[in-house]
Amino acid sequence: RRLAWICAGTVVVQALLGAATVILRLPPPVSIAHLLTATGLVTMLTVIATRLRAPAILQVGPGFVRASNTALVLLALQIALGATVRHLW
């Protein structure tokens, strides 16, 4: 339930970043934040859908959770780096 509320807040943030992107003529930091917020929202919605559909699948060990979280952080950094390169060079 808490994750659903975070998603709702993320949609508001996403809308504000989108508006700022259009009004301010796509400044790179706002565009990058807009992309990362959208990616985070898709990730959270995927987690919610997975938990609702098959909660037993989420019974994994701490090593798997740690590895998954590390992979998620690395993916977010890769997306941010790609967006930065695209918008600044």
Side-chain angles (χ1 to χ4, degrees):
R1 191 180 301 266
R2 184 181 69 184
L3 191 55
W5 281 109
I6 293 171
C7 284
T10 303
V11 169
V12 172
V13 170
Q14 184 70 351
L16 293 173
L17 287 172
T21 299
V22 171
I23 292 169
L24 300 175
R25 300 187 187 210
L26 293 151
V30 176
S31 295
I32 293 166
H34 188 56
L35 172 66
L36 291 174
T37 304
T39 305
L41 180 61
V42 169
T43 302
M44 288 185 287
L45 290 172
T46 302
V47 168
I48 290 172
T50 303
R51 287 182 180 173
L52 289 175
R53 188 157 173 95
I57 292 175
L58 297 176
Q59 304 295 329
V60 295
F64 182 81
V65 172
R66 191 175 312 109
S68 297
N69 289 338
T70 300
L72 184 62
V73 168
L74 291 173
L75 179 61
L77 289 173
Q78 177 62 39
I79 291 169
L81 179 62
T84 301
V85 168
R86 188 264 181 235
H87 285 292
L88 296 180
W89 281 293

Coordinates of all heavy atoms in Angstrom, one line a residue:
R1 N 0.8 -1.2 0.0 CA 0.0 0.0 0.0 C 0.9 1.3 0.0 O 0.6 2.2 -0.7 CB -0.9 0.0 1.2 CG -2.0 1.0 1.2 CD -2.9 1.0 2.4 NE -3.6 -0.3 2.6 CZ -4.8 -0.5 2.2 NH1 -5.4 0.4 1.5 NH2 -5.4 -1.7 2.4
R2 N 1.9 1.2 0.8 CA 2.8 2.4 0.8 C 3.5 2.7 -0.5 O 3.6 3.8 -1.0 CB 3.9 2.2 1.9 CG 4.8 3.4 2.1 CD 5.9 3.1 3.1 NE 6.8 2.1 2.5 CZ 7.8 1.6 3.2 NH1 8.0 1.9 4.4 NH2 8.6 0.7 2.6
L3 N 3.9 1.6 -1.2 CA 4.5 1.8 -2.5 C 3.5 2.4 -3.5 O 3.9 3.2 -4.4 CB 5.0 0.4 -3.1 CG 5.9 0.4 -4.3 CD1 7.1 1.4 -4.1 CD2 6.3 -1.0 -4.6
A4 N 2.2 2.0 -3.4 CA 1.2 2.6 -4.3 C 1.1 4.1 -4.1 O 1.0 4.9 -5.0 CB -0.2 2.0 -4.1
W5 N 1.2 4.6 -2.8 CA 1.2 6.0 -2.5 C 2.4 6.7 -3.1 O 2.4 7.8 -3.6 CB 1.0 6.3 -1.0 CG -0.4 6.1 -0.6 CD1 -0.9 5.1 0.2 CD2 -1.5 7.0 -0.9 NE1 -2.2 5.3 0.4 CE2 -2.6 6.4 -0.2 CE3 -1.6 8.1 -1.6 CZ2 -3.9 7.0 -0.3 CZ3 -2.9 8.7 -1.7 CH2 -4.0 8.1 -1.0
I6 N 3.6 6.0 -3.0 CA 4.8 6.6 -3.5 C 4.6 6.7 -5.0 O 5.1 7.7 -5.6 CB 6.0 5.7 -3.2 CG1 6.2 5.8 -1.7 CG2 7.2 6.1 -3.9 CD1 7.3 4.8 -1.1
C7 N 4.0 5.7 -5.7 CA 3.8 5.8 -7.1 C 2.9 7.0 -7.5 O 3.2 7.7 -8.4 CB 3.1 4.5 -7.7 SG 4.2 3.2 -7.8
A8 N 1.9 7.2 -6.7 CA 1.0 8.4 -6.9 C 1.7 9.7 -6.8 O 1.6 10.6 -7.6 CB -0.2 8.3 -6.0
G9 N 2.6 9.8 -5.8 CA 3.4 11.0 -5.7 C 4.4 11.1 -6.8 O 4.7 12.3 -7.3
T10 N 4.9 10.0 -7.3 CA 5.9 10.0 -8.4 C 5.2 10.5 -9.7 O 5.8 11.2 -10.5 CB 6.5 8.6 -8.6 OG1 7.1 8.2 -7.4 CG2 7.5 8.7 -9.7
V11 N 3.9 10.2 -9.9 CA 3.2 10.7 -11.0 C 3.1 12.2 -11.0 O 3.3 12.9 -12.0 CB 1.8 10.0 -11.1 CG1 1.0 10.7 -12.2 CG2 1.9 8.5 -11.5
V12 N 2.8 12.8 -9.8 CA 2.8 14.2 -9.6 C 4.1 14.8 -9.9 O 4.2 15.8 -10.7 CB 2.3 14.6 -8.2 CG1 2.4 16.1 -8.0 CG2 0.9 14.1 -8.0
V13 N 5.2 14.3 -9.4 CA 6.5 14.8 -9.6 C 6.9 14.7 -11.1 O 7.4 15.6 -11.7 CB 7.6 14.0 -8.8 CG1 9.0 14.4 -9.2 CG2 7.4 14.3 -7.3
Q14 N 6.5 13.6 -11.8 CA 6.7 13.4 -13.2 C 6.0 14.5 -14.0 O 6.6 15.0 -15.0 CB 6.2 12.0 -13.6 CG 6.5 11.6 -15.0 CD 8.0 11.4 -15.3 OE1 8.9 11.7 -14.5 NE2 8.2 10.9 -16.5
A15 N 4.8 14.8 -13.6 CA 4.0 15.8 -14.3 C 4.7 17.2 -14.2 O 4.8 18.0 -15.1 CB 2.6 15.9 -13.8
L16 N 5.1 17.5 -13.0 CA 5.8 18.8 -12.7 C 7.1 18.9 -13.5 O 7.5 19.9 -14.1 CB 6.1 19.0 -11.2 CG 4.8 19.1 -10.4 CD1 5.2 19.1 -8.9 CD2 4.1 20.4 -10.8
L17 N 7.9 17.8 -13.5 CA 9.1 17.8 -14.3 C 8.9 17.9 -15.8 O 9.6 18.6 -16.5 CB 9.9 16.5 -14.0 CG 10.6 16.4 -12.7 CD1 11.2 15.0 -12.4 CD2 11.7 17.5 -12.5
G18 N 7.8 17.2 -16.3 CA 7.4 17.4 -17.7 C 7.1 18.8 -18.0 O 7.5 19.3 -19.1
A19 N 6.3 19.4 -17.2 CA 5.9 20.8 -17.4 C 7.1 21.7 -17.4 O 7.3 22.6 -18.2 CB 4.9 21.3 -16.3
A20 N 8.0 21.5 -16.4 CA 9.3 22.3 -16.4 C 10.1 22.1 -17.6 O 10.7 23.0 -18.1 CB 10.1 22.0 -15.1
T21 N 10.1 20.9 -18.1 CA 10.9 20.6 -19.3 C 10.4 21.4 -20.5 O 11.2 21.9 -21.3 CB 10.9 19.1 -19.6 OG1 11.4 18.4 -18.5 CG2 11.6 18.7 -20.9
V22 N 9.1 21.4 -20.6 CA 8.5 22.2 -21.7 C 8.6 23.7 -21.5 O 9.0 24.4 -22.5 CB 7.0 21.8 -21.9 CG1 6.3 22.7 -22.9 CG2 6.8 20.3 -22.3
I23 N 8.3 24.2 -20.3 CA 8.4 25.6 -20.1 C 9.8 26.2 -20.2 O 10.0 27.2 -20.7 CB 7.7 25.9 -18.7 CG1 6.2 25.6 -18.7 CG2 8.0 27.4 -18.3 CD1 5.6 25.6 -17.4
L24 N 10.7 25.4 -19.6 CA 12.1 25.9 -19.6 C 12.9 25.4 -20.8 O 14.2 25.5 -20.8 CB 12.8 25.4 -18.3 CG 12.1 25.9 -17.0 CD1 12.8 25.3 -15.8 CD2 12.2 27.4 -16.9
R25 N 12.3 24.9 -21.8 CA 12.9 24.4 -23.1 C 14.0 23.4 -22.9 O 15.1 23.5 -23.3 CB 13.5 25.6 -23.8 CG 12.4 26.6 -24.1 CD 12.9 27.7 -25.0 NE 11.8 28.7 -25.1 CZ 11.7 29.4 -26.2 NH1 12.5 29.3 -27.2 NH2 10.7 30.3 -26.3
L26 N 13.6 22.3 -22.2 CA 14.4 21.1 -22.0 C 15.8 21.3 -21.4 O 16.8 20.9 -22.0 CB 14.5 20.4 -23.4 CG 13.2 19.8 -23.9 CD1 13.2 19.7 -25.4 CD2 13.0 18.4 -23.3
P27 N 15.9 21.9 -20.2 CA 17.3 22.0 -19.7 C 17.7 20.6 -19.3 O 16.9 19.8 -18.8 CB 17.1 22.9 -18.4 CG 15.6 22.8 -18.1 CD 14.9 22.6 -19.4
P28 N 19.0 20.3 -19.5 CA 19.4 18.9 -19.3 C 19.1 18.3 -17.9 O 18.7 17.2 -17.8 CB 20.9 19.0 -19.6 CG 21.0 20.1 -20.6 CD 20.0 21.1 -20.2
P29 N 19.4 19.0 -16.8 CA 19.1 18.4 -15.5 C 17.6 18.0 -15.3 O 17.3 17.0 -14.7 CB 19.5 19.5 -14.5 CG 20.5 20.3 -15.2 CD 20.1 20.3 -16.6
V30 N 16.8 18.9 -15.8 CA 15.3 18.6 -15.7 C 15.0 17.4 -16.6 O 14.2 16.5 -16.1 CB 14.5 19.8 -16.0 CG1 13.0 19.5 -16.0 CG2 14.8 20.9 -15.1
S31 N 15.5 17.3 -17.8 CA 15.2 16.2 -18.7 C 15.7 14.9 -18.1 O 15.1 13.8 -18.2 CB 15.9 16.4 -20.0 OG 15.3 17.5 -20.6
I32 N 16.9 14.9 -17.5 CA 17.5 13.7 -16.9 C 16.6 13.3 -15.7 O 16.4 12.1 -15.5 CB 19.0 14.0 -16.5 CG1 19.8 14.2 -17.7 CG2 19.5 12.9 -15.6 CD1 21.2 14.8 -17.5
A33 N 16.2 14.2 -14.8 CA 15.4 13.9 -13.7 C 14.0 13.3 -14.2 O 13.5 12.4 -13.6 CB 15.1 15.1 -12.8
H34 N 13.5 13.9 -15.2 CA 12.3 13.4 -15.8 C 12.4 11.9 -16.3 O 11.5 11.1 -16.0 CB 11.9 14.3 -17.0 CG 10.5 14.0 -17.6 ND1 9.4 14.1 -16.9 CD2 10.1 13.8 -18.8 CE1 8.3 13.9 -17.6 NE2 8.8 13.6 -18.9
L35 N 13.5 11.6 -16.9 CA 13.8 10.2 -17.3 C 13.9 9.3 -16.1 O 13.3 8.2 -16.1 CB 15.0 10.2 -18.2 CG 15.5 8.8 -18.6 CD1 14.5 8.1 -19.5 CD2 16.9 8.8 -19.2
L36 N 14.7 9.7 -15.1 CA 14.9 8.8 -14.0 C 13.6 8.6 -13.2 O 13.4 7.5 -12.7 CB 16.0 9.4 -13.1 CG 17.4 9.4 -13.7 CD1 18.4 10.1 -12.8 CD2 17.8 7.9 -13.9
T37 N 12.8 9.7 -13.1 CA 11.5 9.5 -12.4 C 10.6 8.5 -13.1 O 10.0 7.7 -12.5 CB 10.8 10.9 -12.3 OG1 11.7 11.8 -11.6 CG2 9.6 10.8 -11.5
A38 N 10.6 8.6 -14.5 CA 9.8 7.7 -15.3 C 10.2 6.3 -15.1 O 9.4 5.4 -14.9 CB 9.8 8.1 -16.7
T39 N 11.5 6.1 -15.1 CA 12.1 4.8 -15.0 C 11.8 4.2 -13.6 O 11.4 3.0 -13.4 CB 13.6 4.8 -15.2 OG1 13.9 5.4 -16.5 CG2 14.2 3.4 -15.1
G40 N 11.9 5.0 -12.6 CA 11.6 4.6 -11.2 C 10.1 4.2 -11.1 O 9.8 3.3 -10.4
L41 N 9.2 5.0 -11.7 CA 7.8 4.7 -11.7 C 7.5 3.4 -12.3 O 6.8 2.6 -11.7 CB 7.0 5.8 -12.4 CG 5.5 5.7 -12.4 CD1 4.9 5.6 -11.0 CD2 4.9 6.8 -13.2
V42 N 8.1 3.1 -13.5 CA 7.9 1.8 -14.1 C 8.4 0.7 -13.2 O 7.7 -0.4 -13.1 CB 8.6 1.8 -15.5 CG1 8.6 0.4 -16.1 CG2 7.8 2.7 -16.5
T43 N 9.5 0.9 -12.6 CA 10.1 -0.1 -11.7 C 9.1 -0.4 -10.5 O 8.8 -1.5 -10.2 CB 11.4 0.3 -11.2 OG1 12.3 0.5 -12.3 CG2 12.0 -0.7 -10.2
M44 N 8.6 0.7 -9.9 CA 7.7 0.5 -8.8 C 6.4 -0.2 -9.2 O 5.9 -1.1 -8.5 CB 7.4 1.9 -8.1 CG 8.6 2.4 -7.3 SD 8.2 3.9 -6.4 CE 8.1 5.1 -7.8
L45 N 5.9 0.2 -10.3 CA 4.6 -0.4 -10.8 C 4.9 -1.9 -11.1 O 4.0 -2.8 -10.9 CB 4.1 0.3 -12.0 CG 3.5 1.7 -11.7 CD1 3.2 2.4 -13.0 CD2 2.3 1.6 -10.9
T46 N 6.1 -2.3 -11.6 CA 6.4 -3.7 -11.9 C 6.5 -4.4 -10.5 O 6.0 -5.6 -10.5 CB 7.7 -3.8 -12.6 OG1 7.6 -3.0 -13.8 CG2 8.1 -5.2 -12.9
V47 N 7.0 -3.9 -9.5 CA 7.1 -4.5 -8.2 C 5.7 -4.7 -7.7 O 5.4 -5.8 -7.2 CB 7.9 -3.7 -7.2 CG1 7.8 -4.2 -5.8 CG2 9.4 -3.7 -7.6
I48 N 4.8 -3.7 -7.8 CA 3.4 -3.9 -7.3 C 2.7 -5.0 -8.1 O 2.1 -5.8 -7.4 CB 2.7 -2.5 -7.4 CG1 3.2 -1.5 -6.4 CG2 1.2 -2.8 -7.2 CD1 2.6 -0.1 -6.6
A49 N 2.9 -5.0 -9.4 CA 2.2 -6.0 -10.2 C 2.7 -7.4 -9.8 O 1.9 -8.4 -9.7 CB 2.4 -5.7 -11.7
T50 N 4.0 -7.5 -9.6 CA 4.6 -8.8 -9.3 C 4.1 -9.3 -7.9 O 3.7 -10.5 -7.7 CB 6.1 -8.7 -9.3 OG1 6.6 -8.3 -10.5 CG2 6.7 -10.1 -8.9
R51 N 4.0 -8.4 -6.9 CA 3.6 -8.8 -5.6 C 2.1 -9.2 -5.6 O 1.7 -10.1 -4.9 CB 3.8 -7.6 -4.6 CG 5.2 -7.4 -4.3 CD 5.3 -6.3 -3.3 NE 6.7 -6.1 -2.9 CZ 7.2 -5.1 -2.1 NH1 6.3 -4.2 -1.7 NH2 8.4 -5.0 -1.9
L52 N 1.3 -8.5 -6.4 CA -0.1 -8.8 -6.5 C -0.4 -10.1 -7.2 O -1.3 -10.9 -6.9 CB -0.9 -7.7 -7.2 CG -1.1 -6.4 -6.4 CD1 -1.7 -5.4 -7.3 CD2 -1.9 -6.6 -5.1
R53 N 0.4 -10.4 -8.2 CA 0.2 -11.6 -9.0 C 0.8 -12.9 -8.4 O 0.2 -13.9 -8.5 CB 0.8 -11.4 -10.4 CG 0.5 -12.4 -11.4 CD 0.6 -11.9 -12.8 NE 0.4 -12.9 -13.8 CZ -0.7 -13.2 -14.4 NH1 -1.8 -12.4 -14.1 NH2 -0.8 -14.1 -15.2
A54 N 2.0 -12.8 -7.9 CA 2.6 -14.0 -7.4 C 3.4 -13.7 -6.1 O 4.7 -13.6 -6.2 CB 3.5 -14.6 -8.5
P55 N 2.8 -13.5 -5.0 CA 3.5 -13.1 -3.8 C 4.5 -14.2 -3.3 O 5.5 -13.9 -2.7 CB 2.5 -12.9 -2.7 CG 1.2 -13.5 -3.3 CD 1.4 -13.5 -4.8
A56 N 4.3 -15.4 -3.7 CA 5.2 -16.5 -3.2 C 6.5 -16.4 -3.9 O 7.5 -16.9 -3.4 CB 4.5 -17.9 -3.5
I57 N 6.6 -15.8 -5.1 CA 7.9 -15.7 -5.8 C 8.8 -14.8 -5.0 O 10.0 -15.0 -5.1 CB 7.6 -15.1 -7.2 CG1 6.9 -16.1 -8.1 CG2 8.9 -14.7 -7.9 CD1 6.5 -15.6 -9.4
L58 N 8.3 -13.9 -4.2 CA 9.2 -12.9 -3.5 C 9.8 -13.5 -2.3 O 10.5 -12.8 -1.6 CB 8.4 -11.7 -3.2 CG 7.8 -10.9 -4.4 CD1 7.0 -9.8 -3.9 CD2 9.0 -10.4 -5.2
Q59 N 9.6 -14.8 -2.0 CA 10.3 -15.5 -0.9 C 11.7 -15.9 -1.3 O 11.9 -17.0 -1.7 CB 9.4 -16.7 -0.5 CG 8.0 -16.4 -0.1 CD 7.8 -15.5 1.1 OE1 8.6 -15.6 2.0 NE2 6.8 -14.7 1.1
V60 N 12.6 -14.9 -1.2 CA 14.0 -15.2 -1.6 C 14.9 -14.8 -0.4 O 14.5 -14.1 0.5 CB 14.4 -14.4 -2.9 CG1 13.6 -14.8 -4.0 CG2 14.2 -12.9 -2.6
G61 N 16.1 -15.3 -0.5 CA 17.1 -15.0 0.5 C 17.7 -13.6 0.5 O 17.5 -12.9 -0.5
P62 N 18.4 -13.3 1.6 CA 18.9 -11.9 1.7 C 20.0 -11.6 0.6 O 20.2 -10.5 0.2 CB 19.5 -11.8 3.1 CG 19.6 -13.2 3.5 CD 18.6 -14.0 2.8
G63 N 20.7 -12.7 0.2 CA 21.8 -12.5 -0.8 C 21.2 -12.1 -2.2 O 21.7 -11.2 -2.9
F64 N 20.0 -12.7 -2.5 CA 19.3 -12.3 -3.7 C 18.8 -10.9 -3.7 O 18.9 -10.1 -4.6 CB 18.2 -13.3 -4.0 CG 17.5 -13.0 -5.3 CD1 18.0 -13.5 -6.5 CD2 16.3 -12.3 -5.3 CE1 17.3 -13.2 -7.7 CE2 15.6 -12.0 -6.5 CZ 16.1 -12.5 -7.7
V65 N 18.2 -10.5 -2.5 CA 17.7 -9.2 -2.4 C 18.8 -8.2 -2.5 O 18.7 -7.1 -3.2 CB 17.0 -9.0 -1.0 CG1 16.6 -7.6 -0.8 CG2 15.8 -9.9 -1.0
R66 N 20.0 -8.4 -1.9 CA 21.1 -7.5 -1.9 C 21.6 -7.4 -3.4 O 21.9 -6.3 -3.8 CB 22.2 -8.0 -1.0 CG 23.4 -7.1 -0.8 CD 24.4 -7.5 0.2 NE 23.9 -8.0 1.4 CZ 23.9 -9.3 1.8 NH1 24.4 -10.2 1.0 NH2 23.4 -9.7 2.9
A67 N 21.7 -8.5 -4.1 CA 22.2 -8.5 -5.5 C 21.2 -7.7 -6.3 O 21.6 -7.0 -7.2 CB 22.4 -9.9 -6.0
S68 N 19.9 -7.9 -6.1 CA 18.9 -7.2 -6.9 C 19.0 -5.7 -6.7 O 18.9 -5.0 -7.6 CB 17.5 -7.8 -6.6 OG 17.4 -9.1 -6.9
N69 N 19.1 -5.3 -5.4 CA 19.2 -3.9 -5.1 C 20.4 -3.3 -5.7 O 20.4 -2.2 -6.2 CB 19.1 -3.7 -3.6 CG 17.8 -4.0 -3.0 OD1 16.8 -4.0 -3.7 ND2 17.7 -4.3 -1.7
T70 N 21.5 -4.0 -5.7 CA 22.8 -3.5 -6.3 C 22.6 -3.3 -7.8 O 23.0 -2.3 -8.3 CB 23.9 -4.5 -6.0 OG1 24.1 -4.6 -4.5 CG2 25.2 -4.0 -6.6
A71 N 22.0 -4.3 -8.4 CA 21.8 -4.3 -9.8 C 20.9 -3.1 -10.2 O 21.1 -2.4 -11.2 CB 21.2 -5.6 -10.4
L72 N 19.8 -2.9 -9.4 CA 18.9 -1.7 -9.6 C 19.6 -0.4 -9.5 O 19.4 0.5 -10.4 CB 17.7 -1.8 -8.6 CG 16.6 -0.8 -8.8 CD1 16.0 -1.0 -10.2 CD2 15.6 -1.0 -7.7
V73 N 20.5 -0.2 -8.5 CA 21.2 1.0 -8.4 C 22.2 1.2 -9.5 O 22.3 2.3 -10.1 CB 22.0 1.0 -7.0 CG1 23.0 2.2 -7.0 CG2 21.0 1.1 -5.9
L74 N 22.9 0.1 -9.9 CA 23.8 0.2 -11.1 C 23.0 0.6 -12.4 O 23.5 1.4 -13.2 CB 24.6 -1.1 -11.3 CG 25.6 -1.3 -10.2 CD1 26.2 -2.7 -10.3 CD2 26.7 -0.3 -10.2
L75 N 21.9 0.0 -12.5 CA 21.0 0.3 -13.7 C 20.6 1.8 -13.7 O 20.7 2.4 -14.8 CB 19.8 -0.6 -13.8 CG 18.8 -0.4 -14.9 CD1 19.5 -0.6 -16.3 CD2 17.6 -1.3 -14.8
A76 N 20.2 2.3 -12.6 CA 19.8 3.7 -12.5 C 21.0 4.6 -12.8 O 20.8 5.6 -13.5 CB 19.2 4.0 -11.1
L77 N 22.2 4.2 -12.3 CA 23.4 5.0 -12.6 C 23.7 5.0 -14.1 O 24.1 6.0 -14.7 CB 24.6 4.5 -11.8 CG 24.5 4.8 -10.3 CD1 25.6 4.1 -9.6 CD2 24.5 6.3 -10.0
Q78 N 23.5 3.8 -14.7 CA 23.8 3.7 -16.1 C 22.8 4.6 -16.9 O 23.2 5.2 -17.9 CB 23.7 2.2 -16.6 CG 23.9 2.0 -18.1 CD 25.2 2.5 -18.6 OE1 26.2 2.2 -17.9 NE2 25.3 3.0 -19.7
I79 N 21.5 4.5 -16.5 CA 20.5 5.4 -17.2 C 20.8 6.8 -17.1 O 20.8 7.6 -18.0 CB 19.1 5.0 -16.7 CG1 18.7 3.6 -17.2 CG2 18.1 6.0 -17.2 CD1 17.5 3.0 -16.5
A80 N 21.2 7.2 -15.9 CA 21.6 8.6 -15.6 C 22.8 9.1 -16.4 O 22.8 10.1 -17.0 CB 21.8 8.9 -14.1
L81 N 23.8 8.2 -16.5 CA 25.0 8.5 -17.3 C 24.6 8.6 -18.8 O 25.1 9.6 -19.4 CB 26.0 7.4 -17.1 CG 27.3 7.6 -17.8 CD1 28.0 8.9 -17.4 CD2 28.2 6.4 -17.6
G82 N 23.8 7.7 -19.3 CA 23.4 7.8 -20.7 C 22.6 9.0 -21.0 O 22.9 9.7 -22.0
A83 N 21.7 9.4 -20.1 CA 20.9 10.6 -20.3 C 21.8 11.9 -20.2 O 21.7 12.8 -21.0 CB 19.8 10.7 -19.2
T84 N 22.8 11.8 -19.3 CA 23.7 13.0 -19.2 C 24.6 13.1 -20.5 O 24.7 14.2 -21.0 CB 24.7 12.8 -18.0 OG1 23.9 12.7 -16.8 CG2 25.6 13.9 -17.8
V85 N 25.1 12.0 -21.0 CA 25.9 12.1 -22.2 C 25.0 12.6 -23.3 O 25.4 13.4 -24.1 CB 26.5 10.7 -22.5 CG1 27.1 10.7 -23.9 CG2 27.6 10.4 -21.5
R86 N 23.8 12.1 -23.4 CA 22.9 12.5 -24.5 C 22.6 14.0 -24.5 O 22.5 14.6 -25.5 CB 21.6 11.6 -24.5 CG 20.7 11.8 -25.7 CD 19.7 12.8 -25.3 NE 18.7 13.0 -26.4 CZ 18.5 14.2 -27.0 NH1 19.2 15.2 -26.6 NH2 17.6 14.3 -27.9
H87 N 22.4 14.5 -23.3 CA 21.9 15.9 -23.2 C 23.0 16.9 -23.1 O 22.8 18.1 -23.4 CB 21.0 16.0 -22.0 CG 19.6 15.5 -22.2 ND1 18.7 16.0 -23.0 CD2 19.0 14.4 -21.6 CE1 17.6 15.3 -23.0 NE2 17.8 14.3 -22.2
L88 N 24.2 16.5 -22.7 CA 25.3 17.5 -22.5 C 26.4 17.4 -23.5 O 27.2 18.3 -23.6 CB 25.9 17.3 -21.1 CG 24.9 17.5 -19.9 CD1 25.6 17.3 -18.6 CD2 24.4 18.9 -20.0
W89 N 26.4 16.3 -24.3 CA 27.4 16.3 -25.4 C 26.9 16.1 -26.7 O 25.9 15.7 -27.0 CB 28.4 15.2 -25.1 CG 29.4 15.6 -24.1 CD1 30.4 16.5 -24.2 CD2 29.6 15.0 -22.7 NE1 31.1 16.6 -23.0 CE2 30.6 15.7 -22.1 CE3 28.9 14.1 -22.0 CZ2 31.0 15.4 -20.8 CZ3 29.3 13.8 -20.7 CH2 30.4 14.5 -20.2

